Amino acid sequence: MEENINKQKLFIGSCIALVVTSMTFAIRAKLELVFGPDGVGLNLEQIGTAFAPAFWGFTLAMIFGGPLVDRLGIKKIAWIAFITHAIGITLTILAYDMNSLFIATLFVGIGNGMVEAAFNPMVASMFPNKKTKMLNRFHVWFPGGIVIGALMGWLVMDVMGLGWQIMVGLLYVPLIIYGLIFWGKKFPVTERVQMGVSFGDMVKNLGKPLFIFMVICMLMTAASELGTTQRIESLLHNSVAYPLLVLAFINGIMALGRAFAGQVIHKLQPAGMLLFSAIFTFIGLWLLTITSDGFTFVAAGVFAIGVTFFWPTMIGFVAEYLPETGALGLSVMGGAGMLSVSLVLPIMGRLMDTANATEALRTMSILPAILIVAFLGLNIYMRKKYKTPLVQGD
């Protein structure tokens, strides 16, 4: 059965599905101005509320999709992702107020969640001996897709002066491509099924202290990264002419970093990468509060170096060190991350409505500050348990 599975095509298809997910993040950032005070007339807190289901919808999809991946199979969850993506994109084009945008964003969020629920365990299952490396390569296409979406949004609306509906309609292109790639393909079973771990044992392993610790940290790593980049237009509106280009710059650095993650993983190990990431994220957020114009790109670059490895390394750490938690464990991790972003977006909007963008950024910097301490402790724990140094030699 293993011989009939085309791992390369499945991996490519999963990457393109993730491009759809990530393009929605970039396009949503541009829609903030379309539906904002100078457009439809929503205030920043209302926009945060309308965008929130992209994240808690994602969370619900991952938490329910995680165990369903084992029961229904990766293939069926992949097609659920395709269908909900198609519905969400269409409803976004038809959106005209907060409620219609809310419903459209919910379907997009469910589609995005199903992509992660299906393909994180699929990648871990297909590449059991290099999980963190291949999950980083898979997640290259999250920042990669954001770069594509940000540049497309800038070209369509700012350069060509076309309508925002055309910008959103571009999402149909990668959607159709990944649907065609998956058509008629055989998919692998999840690693939990391969290992013969029962559903009850998988659930029981979710109670391990190390897993609970990683879930708590995921709340903060995801909010630090996605909470900031999702509100980039509002946060940097007074600092640079085209905040969407800063978003493309950040995600370009992230894509390059994840593409060459293998060497970094070899040197630092997952726990070391997370500590490194927390330090640079904290410095980057603080620099963004005190810079403007060209220096904003310097600060954004430091921030990008920080958040590059957060998401895939958190997922990879669980896949590598807590494989008994199965697809559900990976889904709980991703779901926790997106849930935290759904909570952070309205809070950031309120801070920008009542105070300013600088105050919002400074408040966000508290999260990586906590993570520095948490990941320092994780490194000490991992070095004692696995007898590995913080930095590996050649």
Side-chain angles (χ1 to χ4, degrees):
M1 187 179 293
E2 185 75 16
E3 291 77 15
N4 296 328
I5 295 171
N6 191 324
K7 293 182 181 180
Q8 184 178 9
K9 283 196 173 180
L10 289 180
F11 185 73
I12 291 170
S14 67
C15 291
I16 296 173
L18 193 59
V19 166
V20 177
T21 292
S22 53
M23 282 183 71
T24 67
F25 280 75
I27 286 170
R28 194 179 305 118
K30 190 66 176 174
L31 290 178
E32 184 166 8
L33 291 184
V34 172
F35 284 85
D38 297 327
V40 172
L42 304 180
N43 64 39
L44 297 180
E45 185 175 356
Q46 287 175 316
I47 289 175
T49 301
F51 284 174
F55 300 95
W56 56 255
F58 189 116
T59 301
L60 291 173
M62 290 200 72
I63 290 174
F64 285 104
L68 286 176
V69 165
D70 291 319
R71 289 183 175 275
L72 299 180
I74 294 170
K75 185 173 186 175
K76 288 181 180 176
I77 300 300
W79 284 111
I80 291 172
F82 177 88
I83 293 167
T84 48
H85 263 159
I87 294 171
I89 293 166
T90 303
L91 291 179
T92 302
I93 292 172
L94 299 173
Y96 57 91
D97 62 4
M98 189 181 84
N99 292 331
S100 56
L101 183 61
F102 181 96
I103 294 169
T105 307
L106 175 60
F107 274 96
V108 169
I110 292 171
N112 293 349
M114 289 297 179
V115 164
E116 291 267 348
F119 302 131
N120 280 324
M122 186 181 81
V123 171
S125 176
M126 292 194 303
F127 307 102
N129 298 320
K130 42 185 177 178
K131 294 176 188 175
T132 303
K133 179 180 178 179
M134 293 308 294
L135 282 166
N136 265 282
R137 286 190 178 175
F138 169 49
H139 283 277
V140 162
W141 295 102
F142 191 84
I146 289 179
V147 172
I148 294 168
L151 291 176
M152 289 298 99
W154 174 67
L155 284 171
V156 168
M157 294 189 66
D158 296 322
V159 176
M160 301 172 70
L162 300 175
W164 63 268
Q165 292 91 344
I166 294 175
M167 174 185 69
V168 176
L170 292 173
L171 289 166
Y172 286 120
V173 177
L175 176 74
I176 292 169
I177 291 172
Y178 90 72
L180 290 174
I181 289 175
F182 289 148
W183 188 264
K185 295 292 185 302
K186 182 183 286 292
F187 285 69
V189 297
T190 64
E191 195 172 27
R192 196 267 290 182
V193 173
Q194 288 177 3
M195 292 169 64
V197 177
S198 70
F199 181 79
D201 286 339
M202 179 175 68
V203 173
K204 190 187 302 180
N205 279 293
L206 299 184
K208 286 186 174 179
L210 181 58
F211 181 76
I212 294 170
F213 170 83
M214 294 304 292
V215 170
I216 293 170
C217 289
M218 190 69 171
L219 294 170
M220 292 181 278
T221 59
S224 299
E225 175 191 343
L226 297 173
T228 303
T229 54
Q230 272 298 273
R231 308 228 64 162
I232 203 81
E233 285 279 352
S234 300
L235 289 169
L236 301 183
H237 190 60
N238 295 322
S239 302
V240 291
Y242 298 107
L244 215 57
L245 293 184
V246 179
L247 182 65
F249 176 70
I250 289 171
N251 284 276
I253 292 173
M254 291 173 67
L256 285 173
R258 291 179 182 179
F260 299 101
Q263 286 301 313
V264 184
I265 295 165
H266 174 68
K267 288 288 185 184
L268 292 178
Q269 297 298 301
M273 288 177 70
L274 292 171
L275 177 58
F276 167 91
S277 297
I279 293 169
F280 272 79
T281 302
F282 174 76
I283 295 170
L285 283 173
W286 265 95
L287 288 176
L288 283 170
T289 68
I290 58 175
T291 56
S292 61
D293 301 323
F295 288 106
T296 298
F297 282 87
V298 176
V302 175
F303 171 77
I305 291 169
V307 298
T308 290
F309 302 113
F310 262 161
W311 188 281
T313 305
M314 293 292 288
I315 298 291
F317 184 97
V318 171
E320 203 163 317
Y321 295 106
L322 296 158
E324 305 86 2
T325 60
L328 182 57
L330 300 184
S331 291
V332 169
M333 286 291 289
M338 287 300 175
L339 177 64
S340 71
V341 181
S342 74
L343 299 174
V344 158
L345 288 181
I347 293 170
M348 292 181 73
R350 192 178 308 120
L351 283 169
M352 288 185 284
D353 282 333
T354 58
N356 51 49
T358 299
E359 185 63 30
L361 285 167
R362 285 178 180 165
T363 301
M364 289 298 292
S365 71
I366 295 171
L367 300 179
I370 296 171
L371 287 167
I372 291 172
V373 178
F375 289 141
L376 187 59
L378 179 64
N379 273 276
I380 294 170
Y381 170 79
M382 295 300 290
R383 287 163 67 187
K384 285 183 177 179
K385 184 171 182 179
Y386 294 96
K387 311 297 183 186
T388 56
L390 179 60
V391 179
Q392 298 290 308
D394 295 325

